[in-house]
Amino acid sequence: MCGIIGVVGRGEVQSSLLDALKRMEYRGYDSAGICVRNSGFLTCRKEAGKLFNLEQSLAKSPLAGSAGIGHTRWATHGIPSRENAHPHLGAGVAVVHNGIIENHESLRKKLIADGVNFQSETDSEVIPLLLSTELGAAEFGTVEMAEAWQCTVEQLEGTYAIVALRAKGDDCLWFARRGSPLLLGRGAAGVYAASDALALAGLADEVLYLEDGDIGCISLSNVEIHQHGAQVERCWQSMPVSEQSSGKAGFDHFMQKEIFEQPRVIADILNAYVQGVDITFPEASLLDDAVLPNRIVMVACGTSYHAALTARYWLERYLQVSVEVDVASEYRYRNPVIGPDTWLITLSQSGETADTLEALRLFKSNTPDNLALTLCNVPESSLARESDGTIPLLAGVEVGVASTKAYTAQLAVLALLVLKIAYECRVMSEADTKRHLAAMRQVVDGMHVLLGHADQVQALTPLFDDIHGALFLGRGPCFPLALEGALKLKEISYLHAEGYAAGEMKHGPIALIDSRLPVVVLAARKYHLQKVLSNLREVQARGAKVILLTDMADQDIPDNVDAVIPLPEGDSFTTPLFAAIPLQFLAYYVARSRGTDVDQPRNLAKSVTVE
Ligand code: G6P
């Protein structure tokens, strides 16, 4: 969702602003803009649509200046248009905002009553207009600005990451954070404020993650951060993302690159966390000598939720523990009964998903003594910082909006987590643990084999021409895989697709089946194979084209299946890891054949920082 950048440079800043905005395109947006300060004047340039439009406009008439702010907007209040794009201006100030100002209506009414004019329909525009009202017309110095800034921010309810720039009076970026991500950066060419570290790849050498409630300013010579009225020190750390690791590395799309990175990610996870039969998660050492809780609650959104659903099968089967899995947006509002002796496991690629974060906060405020773990790909994220322990996913930067390698990393880490707890709690023997770990080590090679079948999957795209939808079916841990396969297809090809528990098909989706509804069937030897094959025959009998993903031997494969994608033979932990790859390829190639924007599909955001 919205991406924020602010730069105070040692030279011109337009190109740094654009670079940073490009690196945040993956977050999802529908308009963009920058504002640059030059000789005491602020000049904005904004365009609806892709960044390309803004770049074209700036190429025709560049904006000179050594300080500026920029924004990619994902519309919440008001349509995607030039007027609603950020930055927004007040008298002598410009502001970019990510989040939602919940009391914007009442603030707007008050400002209008005071004679202030609005130019946009956004909630965000109240911020610069409040700020300029607080500042008054005069040109005050930094001290007065600090007061006006504090006063403005105090009036805001909701969530925000805000960066403000003044036309005159100081050389600072003014910032405030509550609920939406924001970090500061510094490097040879300037100082920065940005929504994520990726935005600053190639610009900053060090970053500082702001905490919720932080407010302050940064200039080339100074940084000041306040929390509850008192000055606080925060740590600078070296830049976690290199410019190189954030590129496409010769692939056509980030998603394609990320699909191909999966064997390396799994190898990194195994190397980092497994030594012989010992599984160690350095940042969650509180799991060493763990005693099995009464109940485990897993909460996540989107693809991360699907990883949690698969893990439920493993946790219940091997640990015999009661497991509840929910999407964060429901969990946080349904007054969940948490009770003692319960662990929370949140899963998130970004660690900034607003609902997941609020679910964690709800859990911790209700039962502070219960353990809250997160499996997260960004160890510096809010979710990681607020959890009792973090297991980093080690997937590296994921840029494609549709999650791929972070998903298989979640599955791999979850499998290791189950094996670790099962072994330590003595519910799994050493021999069985070794056997499962040996199977996990086979995943790297198996994934390489599957990546070699990309062309075979691409050849299936005609089956998705002229269809009215697609159905994905599976049982057991392959049921969440079916959900994930459908979600991937839907997200990037804009085709309607549904994932269903194969046994539930007769209770609805069967009515949709005809020759224009391709059905992808996930049939694994380990998971109720014969029952899935019965469902497959029911689908065939109604004229659907069937694509079968299976680890069955060739001779056992049913006749008249339209396409078979062979999977390496897996054990109960590894089959989902294998099945993910052809499902990702299927979505990817169908999307390509339909000419959609694979890496930045319409309306979607990578990091959903508002609820
Ligand atoms: C968005 C993304 C998905 C992601 C979901 C949860 O919808 O487009 O790819 O699975 O958010 O995000 P998280 O960062 O919490 O895993």
Side-chain angles (χ1 to χ4, degrees), residues 301-304 347-351 353 356 401-403 410 491 605-606 608:
C301 299
T303 290
S304 298
L347 295 111
S348 178
Q349 189 288 125
S350 63
T353 303
T356 311
V401 163
S403 184
Q410 283 169 344
E491 281 180 308
K606 177 81 183 150
V608 181

Side-chain angles (χ1 to χ4, degrees), residues 43-350:
T43 315
C44 273
R45 186 72 52 75
K46 317 196 257 190
E47 296 295 340
K50 287 289 178 194
L51 212 47
F52 175 77
N53 301 339
L54 179 65
E55 280 184 280
Q56 293 284 91
S57 159
L58 288 167
K60 276 191 214 132
S61 119
L63 294 183
S66 59
I69 55 177
H71 190 266
T72 46
R73 172 173 185 256
W74 188 89
T76 58
H77 296 62
I79 56 163
S81 66
R82 185 184 285 161
E83 293 69 32
N84 289 336
H86 298 215
H88 290 294
L89 295 173
V93 293
V95 164
V96 286
H97 164 230
N98 173 21
I100 293 180
I101 304 302
E102 287 170 359
N103 60 336
H104 74 104
E105 294 280 11
S106 60
L107 293 171
R108 181 182 270 258
K109 277 190 193 136
K110 209 168 88 197
L111 285 162
I112 290 173
D114 291 343
V116 174
N117 288 323
F118 280 77
Q119 310 294 326
S120 79
E121 306 157 297
T122 65
D123 56 326
S124 311
E125 199 185 356
V126 296
I127 307 168
L129 296 177
L130 272 179
L131 180 58
S132 49
T133 308
E134 291 297 334
L135 277 169
E139 286 167 25
F140 291 109
T142 314
V143 174
E144 291 82 358
M145 172 62 186
E147 275 167 30
W149 184 230
Q150 178 81 38
C151 225
T152 300
V153 172
E154 275 170 6
Q155 294 175 65
L156 306 175
E157 288 167 19
T159 54
Y160 48 77
I162 316 169
V163 179
L165 182 69
R166 295 175 76 193
K168 299 177 186 158
D170 59 59
D171 281 326
C172 299
L173 296 169
W174 294 86
F175 55 79
R177 180 199 166 172
R178 191 210 284 163
S180 301
L182 191 63
L183 54 85
L184 304 179
R186 57 188 184 197
V191 294
Y192 311 91
S195 294
D196 60 37
L198 186 60
L200 302 184
L203 296 173
D205 305 321
E206 287 184 306
V207 290
L208 178 159
Y209 290 87
L210 293 166
E211 304 271 338
D212 260 357
D214 281 355
I215 177 167
C217 62
I218 184 167
S219 67
L220 287 172
S221 55
N222 190 32
V223 54
E224 249 182 64
I225 306 173
H226 290 84
Q227 171 84 244
H228 304 305
Q231 191 162 346
V232 288
E233 292 297 320
R234 303 259 178 257
C235 291
W236 287 93
Q237 50 185 276
S238 52
M239 177 68 180
V241 189
S242 75
E243 205 172 1
Q244 213 178 13
S245 68
S246 59
K248 281 191 204 155
F251 286 94
D252 293 337
H253 297 97
F254 281 107
M255 181 180 177
Q256 187 187 25
K257 173 188 161 214
E258 287 155 8
I259 291 173
F260 277 89
E261 281 175 339
Q262 290 176 106
R264 206 241 324 122
V265 171
I266 304 303
D268 285 352
I269 289 171
L270 293 172
N271 286 338
Y273 297 146
V274 185
Q275 300 81 33
V277 81
D278 281 339
I279 299 170
T280 320
F281 299 119
E283 298 200 21
S285 51
L286 61 174
L287 275 182
D288 295 341
D289 307 316
V291 177
L292 210 52
N294 207 13
R295 209 160 64 96
I296 296 179
V297 178
M298 304 177 83
V299 178
C301 299
T303 290
S304 298
Y305 167 67
H306 293 159
L309 285 176
T310 294
R312 175 168 65 188
Y313 291 88
W314 296 332
L315 287 161
E316 288 181 343
R317 173 169 174 190
Y318 294 103
L319 302 185
Q320 292 285 295
V321 66
S322 145
V323 180
E324 178 186 335
V325 184
D326 206 351
V327 288
S329 54
E330 286 301 312
Y331 183 81
R332 62 180 284 200
Y333 288 120
R334 71 175 162 81
N335 299 312
V337 180
I338 300 173
D341 201 16
T342 300
W343 288 359
L344 174 74
I345 302 179
T346 56
L347 295 111
S348 178
Q349 189 288 125
S350 63

